[in-house]
Amino acid sequence: MHIHILGICGTFMGGLAALAREAGHRVTGCDAGVYPPMSDQLRALGIDLIEGFGADQMALKPDMYVVGNVVSRARLPDGTPKFPLMEAILEAGAPYTSGPQWLAEHVLQERHVLAVAGTHGKTTTTSMLAWVLEANGLRPGFLVGGVPLNFGVSARLGAGEDAGQARETPGQPPRRPLFVIEADEYDTAFFDKRSKFVHYRPRTAVLNNLEFDHADIFDNLAAIERQFHHLVRTVPGSGRLVVNGLEESLDRVLHMGHWSEVRSFGTAVSDFSALGEPHDFEVLERGQSVAHVEWSLTGQHNQLNALAAIAAAQHVGVSPSDAARALGSFQNVRRRMEVRGTVARPAGPITVYDDFAHHPTAIRTTLDGLRRRLGNDGGRILAVFEPRSNTMKLGTMKSQLPWSLETAALAFCHAGGLDWDAREALAPMGDRAQVALTVDEVIAQVSAAARAGDHIVCMSNGGFGGIHARLLAALAGPAQ
């Protein structure tokens, strides 16, 4: 089959392209802003890329157009379509489908899908779970919205039917090959406004947490809870729901009805709980110690992510002790507190980190986790962030920013392109917060404020104008 992917350079669609190519399909694609590293990764797989969404791509005559949710029926100010190719597809009556739908029909069928949903931690927990299964010889397929460092790729098909047959137990139903997927609640496509995850039909579903997000498509938290319940409805009776017991929102989801085994984690009375510090803790199953995790990750959020991965892996036959042992060699995901470099100073180095945090809760947990690891005497934390997600751009959560940044000694906000006043939103922080309209200005502010021993955390769900390398260069410059 020849598929042509519209919006191929997004993390999800790029992963789908890699899976399709690995499965033997011919894959081409287009996007606005075809640039490295995604363009290099796709071209290395033999995937031809086209810049833009021109209608002339109809000449490719693929068997199927796979449409990413970046595509819409929007019009430019002069009245012309923003996505001419989509208009041409509709006019011609050519076959098209969404990315999640294509994935469900061509990759996920006949597999045991383990889906990880939640407002925060999806990418990290999905990567943890995939690594636990891999380290225990189960060779899962996976699709992750990032690059797990243990694998070096964001997607692969994994073992096929032979793996499922090898795992069969006499007298029990056949075991299916495994596929771990990051299950996003964002909408599927302009023609399918359901959340992506309803297409995946998991047998093991992790509900990691649930807060209000995606204010551009959801009116309130109740609307997102309803979508999560749609996911719950798709899990079979023999399936397992792994649910964060700390989340009242997830309690409400379950109270709408559920038809599968539920295993909780997080609270003292949950099925799975933790005893100890986030980097070194006992795993308790119904109050009894069953495993020990010692690893390089920090923060209570990662401790909870670990419990979720352990509970999910148990559902496909991996014991908690074997799962915990695997987590000891888990290397996390790119852009999750990834050290981008250090600058030497006589009194101690300045360290620059890259992190994907873009929601107030994620920002707070990221900074709290670093503070806990460093200790109170481990140097200042400088938070550098841009409100770039659709929700943050709308200003829906601006009032939470001072709370999210409490751990930081200083905060620097890139406010370019915002329709709301970042200075006003950050006013409760007083002179601990600075705002700039350009990345260059942010770099100048941070460089002037930084001192030996500082830890500078740059947070964005985008490239942030290459701030990490530019900041390191500025800090190392002769003026410093």
Side-chain angles (χ1 to χ4, degrees):
M1 174 185 286
H2 174 196
I3 65 172
H4 187 62
I5 300 177
L6 285 69
I8 193 171
C9 288
T11 305
F12 172 80
M13 298 301 279
L16 184 151
L19 293 172
R21 188 72 185 87
E22 186 181 350
H25 298 291
R26 180 189 171 199
V27 182
T28 55
C30 64
D31 212 329
V34 176
Y35 49 80
M38 182 60 79
S39 60
D40 290 343
Q41 294 173 23
L42 293 174
R43 287 188 173 116
L45 295 172
I47 297 172
D48 293 330
L49 304 179
I50 300 171
E51 175 70 36
F53 296 88
D56 57 342
Q57 295 173 50
M58 294 293 291
L60 293 170
K61 296 183 178 178
D63 299 295
M64 181 66 69
Y65 292 94
V66 181
V67 182
N69 66 3
V70 70
V71 177
S72 71
R73 302 294 303 279
R75 299 271 166 172
L76 299 173
D78 64 2
T80 60
K82 185 176 181 180
F83 300 94
L85 176 55
M86 193 67 237
E87 298 300 320
I89 291 169
L90 294 172
E91 290 292 347
Y96 67 92
T97 188
S98 69
Q101 184 72 34
W102 191 91
L103 188 72
E105 294 175 352
H106 295 274
V107 175
L108 301 184
Q109 280 193 359
E110 305 305 323
R111 292 178 181 262
H112 181 127
V113 176
L114 301 96
V116 179
T119 309
H120 316 292
K122 290 188 294 293
T123 301
T124 302
T125 308
T126 305
S127 302
M128 285 182 192
L129 180 53
W131 177 243
V132 166
L133 302 182
E134 175 75 5
N136 283 280
L138 298 180
R139 296 182 293 153
F142 58 82
L143 176 55
V144 185
V147 181
L149 296 174
N150 289 95
F151 295 100
V153 295
S154 61
R156 76 173 191 193
L157 286 178
E161 293 181 4
D162 61 316
Q165 293 165 357
R167 295 166 55 242
E168 287 183 16
T169 302
Q172 297 295 320
R175 306 287 293 275
R176 302 172 181 227
L178 305 177
F179 196 95
V180 186
I181 188 166
E182 181 173 332
D184 187 4
E185 72 272 23
Y186 207 79
D187 62 5
T188 297
F190 76 87
F191 50 86
D192 182 352
K193 306 313 286 183
R194 295 174 294 171
S195 291
K196 290 178 184 175
F197 55 39
V198 300
H199 294 277
Y200 303 153
R201 300 187 181 181
R203 292 179 174 272
T204 308
V206 175
L207 308 184
N208 214 12
N209 42 63
L210 179 52
E211 292 186 53
F212 182 62
D213 197 5
H214 308 307
D216 52 323
I217 60 172
F218 294 118
D219 292 333
N220 48 46
L221 180 58
I224 310 178
E225 290 173 0
R226 176 61 62 183
Q227 290 296 321
F228 269 67
H229 191 247
H230 291 168
L231 173 63
V232 168
R233 288 172 178 268
T234 67
V235 180
S238 60
R240 172 179 287 191
L241 297 169
V242 177
V243 182
N244 187 336
L246 295 166
E247 299 276 323
E248 292 182 6
S249 54
L250 293 177
D251 284 341
R252 291 192 292 269
V253 170
L254 294 183
H255 286 156
M256 296 181 198
H258 60 86
W259 302 265
S260 315
E261 175 193 43
V262 176
R263 301 303 299 272
S264 61
F265 67 92
T267 71
V269 296
S270 292
D271 296 303
F272 288 89
S273 58
L275 180 63
E277 290 297 310
H279 68 282
D280 188 357
F281 60 94
E282 292 294 314
V283 177
L284 308 181
E285 184 175 7
R286 295 173 179 168
Q288 300 297 312
S289 178
V290 291
H292 182 85
V293 175
E294 185 175 357
W295 58 353
S296 61
L297 273 66
T298 60
Q300 187 183 29
H301 58 297
N302 279 320
Q303 189 177 60
L304 292 171
N305 293 340
L307 294 176
I310 289 168
Q314 186 191 56
H315 190 227
V316 293
V318 178
S319 70
S321 60
D322 287 340
R325 191 175 303 112
L327 289 174
S329 58
F330 177 65
Q331 298 178 33
N332 215 333
V333 185
R334 285 181 190 164
R335 303 206 63 199
R336 300 309 187 273
M337 286 305 291
E338 180 180 0
V339 175
R340 293 296 296 269
T342 59
V343 176
R345 294 286 174 86
I350 299 174
T351 307
V352 175
Y353 304 81
D354 181 16
D355 195 84
F356 197 75
H358 57 279
H359 181 285
T361 301
I363 291 172
R364 184 179 178 95
T365 55
T366 293
L367 299 178
D368 286 353
L370 178 59
R371 180 78 283 159
R372 192 164 184 166
R373 176 163 67 86
L374 296 174
N376 291 331
D377 300 323
R380 299 188 307 171
I381 295 174
L382 276 57
V384 185
F385 69 101
E386 59 174 358
R388 184 182 175 277
S389 70
N390 289 333
T391 299
M392 294 301 287
K393 283 182 178 178
L394 289 171
T396 307
M397 297 181 178
K398 62 184 180 182
S399 63
Q400 296 182 38
L401 284 174
W403 165 81
S404 73
L405 296 161
E406 278 181 348
T407 304
L410 298 172
F412 303 86
C413 175
H414 175 225
L418 297 181
D419 293 330
W420 47 273
D421 190 339
R423 287 184 177 85
E424 180 182 353
L426 294 169
M429 298 184 68
D431 57 9
R432 290 173 50 226
Q434 297 185 47
V435 176
L437 297 180
T438 68
V439 174
D440 286 343
E441 189 181 354
V442 173
I443 292 171
Q445 290 175 345
V446 177
S447 298
R451 66 192 190 203
D454 282 349
H455 297 263
I456 303 174
V457 185
C458 301
M459 294 173 284
S460 171
N461 66 343
F464 209 158
I467 193 172
H468 317 90
R470 294 167 62 188
L471 182 56
L472 285 164
L475 291 169
Q480 299 300 319

